[in-house]
Amino acid sequence: MADRLFRFGVMAAWARDGAHWAAQARRAEDLGYATLLTPDTSGTAMPAASLAAAAGATTTLRVGTFVLSAATRPAHMIAWEAASMAFATGDRFELGIGAGRPGGEDDAALFGVPYGAPAERIARVERVLDAVARPPEGLFAGTGRSPRVVVAASRPRMLELAARRADTVAFGVPPLTGDAELAGYVDLVRDAAGERFDDLELCTQVHVVGDEVPAWLSGQMGVDPAAMAASDAIAKLSGTAREMADALARRRDELGVSYVSVSSAFVEEFAPVVELLAGR
């Protein structure tokens, strides 16, 4: 698994204005991050607009949704949006897709669409994947090349779907998940993916860099700051840049995880790790 090259993303959701947003994108690119990612919530700017602006302010930085909710849009609308984003960004767009985040029912109600039961939402994700891979006749196709697809999952059925259909599997696991638990998720993906497992990119998220957990972040994640600080969770890295890089290298060697996203709150603190590992 060690031949999987590291790349790193920044999860960014807030900016004072468009100029500040563009500056964040340029800074991420300057620091060696591969992607700028944004969530899909009604309380943040529309992903397509934000990501197109970020791509326009940079030259090599890739941009992606992390992740778009299949529960609030028709499949062909998402395929149209993905093709348009690929066109607007010069094929630097990555479509992150999921079945809906916790609390997603509120967004669905706001937009006046049915949220659906888990099985219905998983079926919607699969319809999105079909529409992106094979757009219906008459739908704008952009460059004609399908974007890279990232599927976020934590439950068995979604993990199995991601293993069969995604380019990247993003493990949307609880914040206190450790390496031993992560290994179980990876085993499930490996079994479902079969021969294509070696071609899959595996992704995890780092929410905390260092020994202190900001109160606002612990509230956002729904975890006790002391429990997070004392844990060996994969969502937290501490120590020197070399020690953090070694921890990620061990995880890649043992579990195959080579794509790591970090909260924009720690973009500077994590940059030395990116410098040590990106592209290696």
Side-chain angles (χ1 to χ4, degrees):
M1 297 181 190
D3 59 345
R4 294 180 176 181
L5 303 182
F6 275 111
R7 68 179 187 136
F8 298 93
V10 176
M11 172 61 76
W14 176 86
R16 292 188 300 272
D17 50 34
H20 182 217
W21 178 255
Q24 286 190 62
R26 286 191 292 269
R27 184 58 178 160
E29 182 176 59
D30 289 344
L31 291 173
Y33 289 90
T35 52
L36 182 77
L37 308 167
T38 191
D40 178 28
T41 74
S42 60
T44 55
M46 182 181 291
S50 297
L51 296 176
T58 56
T59 56
T60 61
L61 187 72
R62 299 180 67 80
V63 297
T65 50
F66 205 90
V67 291
L68 209 65
S69 173
T72 55
R73 297 169 178 79
H76 289 166
M77 181 178 288
I78 294 177
W80 179 33
E81 190 171 329
S84 300
M85 285 299 299
F87 169 76
T89 63
D91 283 320
R92 286 189 279 147
F93 174 67
E94 301 186 4
L95 174 64
I97 191 76
R101 62 182 176 83
E105 300 95 330
D106 294 338
D107 282 351
L110 179 65
F111 296 138
V113 297
Y115 192 61
E120 294 172 313
R121 289 184 278 118
I122 292 172
R124 289 181 197 171
V125 172
E126 190 145 26
R127 287 197 294 272
V128 168
L129 298 178
D130 289 340
V132 170
R134 296 179 296 277
E137 185 176 353
L139 188 71
F140 175 71
T143 63
R145 293 182 289 276
S146 297
R148 185 173 188 86
V149 174
V150 180
V151 173
S154 61
R155 298 184 183 277
R157 288 186 60 188
M158 271 296 288
L159 286 168
E160 290 168 359
L161 174 60
R164 291 187 289 105
R165 300 291 303 273
D167 298 302
T168 300
V169 179
F171 294 101
V173 296
L176 296 181
T177 298
D179 281 299
E181 296 166 287
L182 178 62
Y185 291 103
V186 173
D187 286 343
L188 195 157
V189 169
R190 181 185 290 106
D191 291 343
E195 293 182 355
R196 76 187 302 265
F197 179 74
D198 288 341
D199 296 324
L200 279 175
E201 180 181 57
L202 306 183
C203 174
T204 57
Q205 296 81 56
V206 171
H207 299 295
V208 178
V209 177
D211 296 318
E212 294 188 11
V213 182
W216 65 267
L217 188 58
S218 64
Q220 190 179 83
M221 294 188 297
V223 297
D224 178 68
M228 172 60 84
S231 74
D232 292 322
I234 62 171
K236 178 177 74 72
L237 285 173
S238 59
T240 66
R242 183 73 267 172
E243 289 169 337
M244 290 189 281
D246 287 346
L248 292 178
R250 284 194 299 272
R251 190 169 295 144
R252 179 184 64 178
D253 293 344
E254 294 171 4
L255 301 176
V257 176
S258 60
Y259 183 25
V260 179
S261 71
V262 65
S263 167
S264 60
F266 299 102
V267 65
E268 299 289 343
E269 291 88 341
F270 195 68
V273 180
V274 174
E275 184 176 5
L276 286 170
L277 294 180
R280 296 173 174 84

